[in-house]
Amino acid sequence: MYYSIRHLTKFSYAAPVSESIMETRMRPRSDTNQRCLLYHLSVSPRCTVFSFRDHMGNHIHHFDIPGAHSQLVIVAEAVVEQQPMAELPDALPETGWEDLDREVERGDFWEMLLPSEFAKPTALLQELAVELNVRRKADPLSVLRTLNEELYGYFEYVPKSTRVDSPIDHALEARRGVCQDFAHIMTSLVRLLGIPCRYVSGYLNSRSEDHNRSLDSATHAWVEAFLPSLGWVGFDPTNNLIAGERHIRTAIGRDYFDVPPTKGVFSGTSASELSVAVRVTASTSPPALDEDQPIPAEWAVLVEKAQEPPRPTAASQTQQQQQ
């Protein structure tokens, strides 16, 4: 399958700001079954965009807009080729836990085993672990399949019910949240079992017949757990899915704190408003890579002329919550 992705982010300011500094993590990865064939990042007001790769292999683009501006528009476009994923067995051998411990002891997995900013044990998480009987039983793969399904049934999916920086206790107490919350909760539970687990940011291509709970107009999040003989295996507790070729990976990290789609600051005294739109289109043949993707009419934007800068103060750019 081939996927054409367009991701628009727009920051609107009530009064002109004098400078914006921004990082983005929107370029799809090229690894395992996935290849990014084309990627283009457009920024308005115009500026020079730089890029680098971090220690996890994530592509990070960054830029600085030093002049006064009343809005910042970022459009990321990508074409991704996905190969079918290898079919998973129903379970691992009876020696699965011993095999896992042996591989973890030999490898460098400490980052994905220790608590992190948004994926850490709390009293409410421990209560959930007891309620769902999360412990080492059967084999690691069977435990993860069951946990993925139980979290899907336990939590209600409610867009915008939590904030981008909400701790997991907000979702645990309300028993509702978005994909970001479910991924953090599953990551925390899986690490308690001594299974390396990491957070995945990206996109999910939703088809009408799939009845996915997550929004097809937003970014998505799920987890990957390391299993003996299988490597990193993706689980999507929001939709009760094993991550497959419809899951398009942009970045991996310990949790959302490591991989927000946008992260930055601006200098000014203005309030800001964030608008995000995502479109993922699937096809069985590769699109023409030298042709521009059509811009949906509702995404048309007008960039205001630069005005005199206000008295500068620093403020954080709002990050995008993954739904």
Side-chain angles (χ1 to χ4, degrees), residues 91-268:
L92 293 177
E94 293 181 0
T95 58
W97 289 109
E98 292 82 357
D99 297 339
L100 171 67
D101 291 339
R102 191 160 44 248
E103 292 204 31
V104 168
E105 186 177 354
R106 289 199 302 257
D108 183 11
F109 297 101
W110 65 271
E111 277 192 297
M112 306 307 169
L113 285 168
L114 295 175
S116 52
E117 183 72 20
F118 292 119
K120 56 182 122 181
T122 66
L124 288 178
L125 184 82
Q126 298 286 359
E127 291 176 10
L128 179 64
V130 172
E131 183 175 346
L132 299 182
N133 193 24
V134 179
R135 59 182 178 84
R136 288 194 167 198
K137 53 190 176 183
D139 67 274
L141 177 56
S142 297
V143 168
L144 292 175
R145 284 185 183 274
T146 300
L147 179 60
N148 196 47
E149 182 177 359
E150 289 179 335
L151 291 177
Y152 171 80
Y154 188 89
F155 290 97
E156 182 183 2
Y157 177 80
V158 181
K160 299 183 180 179
S161 57
T162 57
R163 291 168 47 90
V164 65
D165 56 353
S166 294
I168 59 174
D169 278 355
H170 288 190
L172 287 167
E173 189 171 15
R175 292 186 62 162
R176 64 183 185 181
V178 296
C179 67
Q180 184 174 302
D181 305 303
F182 307 150
H184 285 151
I185 290 168
M186 184 166 184
T187 297
S188 304
L189 291 171
V190 172
R191 288 176 183 169
L192 290 177
L193 297 172
I195 302 175
C197 191
R198 62 194 188 187
Y199 181 98
V200 185
S201 174
Y203 308 99
L204 175 64
N205 176 239
S206 296
R207 304 168 302 191
S208 57
E209 64 268 26
D210 296 316
H211 305 292
N212 295 325
R213 297 197 298 183
S214 51
L215 301 177
D216 57 5
S217 59
T219 57
H220 191 48
W222 58 99
V223 310
E224 287 181 344
F226 183 83
L227 294 173
S229 75
L230 299 176
W232 293 100
V233 178
F235 297 87
D236 181 354
T238 303
N239 299 301
N240 189 23
L241 294 172
I242 301 296
E245 64 184 57
R246 293 193 297 116
H247 289 77
I248 303 159
R249 307 153 79 240
T250 56
I252 55 178
R254 294 166 298 175
D255 57 31
Y256 176 81
F257 185 82
D258 289 345
V259 293
T262 56
K263 181 180 182 180
V265 295
F266 69 83
S267 180

Side-chain angles (χ1 to χ4, degrees), residues 35-60:
R35 279 198 307 158
C36 181
L37 304 179
L38 172 70
Y39 182 75
H40 184 254
L41 188 73
S42 303
V43 180
S44 182
R46 290 187 177 183
C47 62
T48 301
V49 179
F50 303 91
S51 66
F52 66 94
R53 295 179 70 180
D54 65 14
H55 72 290
M56 297 298 296
N58 302 315
H59 291 268
I60 301 171

